[in-house]
Amino acid sequence: YSTPSDGNEYDDSYFYNRLFYKNVTFKEETLFRGNFPTVRFNKSNSEIKIGHKGDFNFNPGDDFTIMFWANISQSVAETSYLISKSTIKEAIPGVTPQLHNSASNTFNIPFEAPSEPQFPFEIFATGGNIFFKRFDGTTTTSINGSFDRGVMTHFTCRVKDGTMAIFKNAISLTTGTDLTSKQTQNRANIYIGNKGGSNNFLSGSLSQINIFNKALSDTQII
């Protein structure tokens, strides 16, 4: 399924974010005691995109939590992005900095362009590990821990009081100090199942994706 070019679709969050599906499959998978809907990514140009919103620009000092179920099935040698706000943004011709020849785009249709280098979060899998990463343009903070491929797993990535953490099935997997000190905000889109661009597509499925602008407690994560 792909969102029609003239279609409007929204998530079911408090902020009612507009989103775009691209080459995804909807299916049910077993989570705990029953079947739940999941979005299947086929590692072939499939993704969900949410346009830039300041609500997702978490800077140093901000607490936040990203929670989701994932079944990651790519090989250990591959890298696939689960959720990220980095790399690609929507640009408008004629707006400084000039990134496009507006003479070839007379209707000022937004187009994809490289985003600012800093980013509030990237969550990706490679080498049998899941990574949670932030970058302020100078300093990178990255933590990671192992997971089982091909198994539906609950992940939580949290920043609380300057500490980054990854939970696997509600059990702490790894923690580390958030070393970013400058702004990590950017104007990038949020990409789900892809980094943004033409590589690092996810092979697997995601379900029940939540982004909170606060740090959930360990009990809430359970």
Side-chain angles (χ1 to χ4, degrees), residues 18 74 98 115 119 185 193 201:
R18 188 181 181 192
Q74 94 268 357
Q98 185 69 40
S115 184
F119 54 83
Q185 69 185 41
F201 292 99

Side-chain angles (χ1 to χ4, degrees), residues 146-161:
S146 63
F147 70 96
D148 297 320
R149 294 184 301 113
V151 178
M152 185 60 79
T153 305
H154 187 269
F155 291 106
T156 304
C157 296
R158 183 184 72 185
V159 175
K160 180 181 180 181
D161 299 329

Side-chain angles (χ1 to χ4, degrees), residues 10-182:
Y10 301 88
D11 66 12
D12 57 357
S13 75
Y14 176 84
F15 293 103
Y16 204 53
N17 301 297
R18 188 181 181 192
L19 54 79
F20 303 87
Y21 296 103
K22 183 177 180 181
N23 298 332
V24 300
T25 302
F26 301 105
K27 61 177 293 187
E28 287 190 346
E29 293 189 45
T30 300
L31 306 180
F32 279 130
R33 302 177 184 87
N35 290 336
F36 287 81
T38 69
V39 182
R40 184 79 185 176
F41 300 85
N42 60 16
K43 203 185 124 182
S44 178
N45 202 28
S46 61
E47 66 184 22
I48 302 173
K49 180 175 72 173
I50 301 174
H52 159 72
K53 291 189 71 174
D55 301 305
F56 301 115
N57 268 335
F58 304 114
N59 285 301
D62 294 336
D63 291 346
F64 66 96
T65 308
I66 302 173
M67 177 184 292
F68 56 93
W69 286 87
N71 185 338
I72 305 167
S73 57
Q74 94 268 357
S75 70
V76 174
E78 294 177 295
T79 298
S80 60
Y81 272 67
L82 307 178
I83 306 173
S84 65
K85 190 180 191 300
S86 62
T87 310
I88 300 295
K89 66 181 179 181
E90 301 291 334
I92 304 294
V95 175
T96 304
Q98 185 69 40
L99 298 172
H100 188 70
N101 179 7
S102 59
S104 64
N105 193 354
T106 56
F107 294 100
N108 284 342
I109 299 172
F111 63 97
E112 292 187 342
S115 184
E116 298 79 10
Q118 68 272 15
F119 54 83
F121 58 86
E122 287 185 340
I123 303 171
F124 59 95
T126 186
N129 290 287
I130 182 168
F131 286 76
F132 179 27
K133 185 176 181 181
R134 286 162 57 77
F135 179 55
D136 66 7
T138 302
T139 303
T140 299
T141 303
S142 180
I143 60 174
N144 69 88
S146 63
F147 70 96
D148 297 320
R149 294 184 301 113
V151 178
M152 185 60 79
T153 305
H154 187 269
F155 291 106
T156 304
C157 296
R158 183 184 72 185
V159 175
K160 180 181 180 181
D161 299 329
T163 298
M164 295 173 63
I166 301 175
F167 293 77
K168 182 174 71 174
N169 292 328
I171 298 173
S172 179
L173 182 62
T174 184
T175 62
T177 301
D178 183 5
L179 301 175
T180 58
S181 58
K182 297 186 294 185

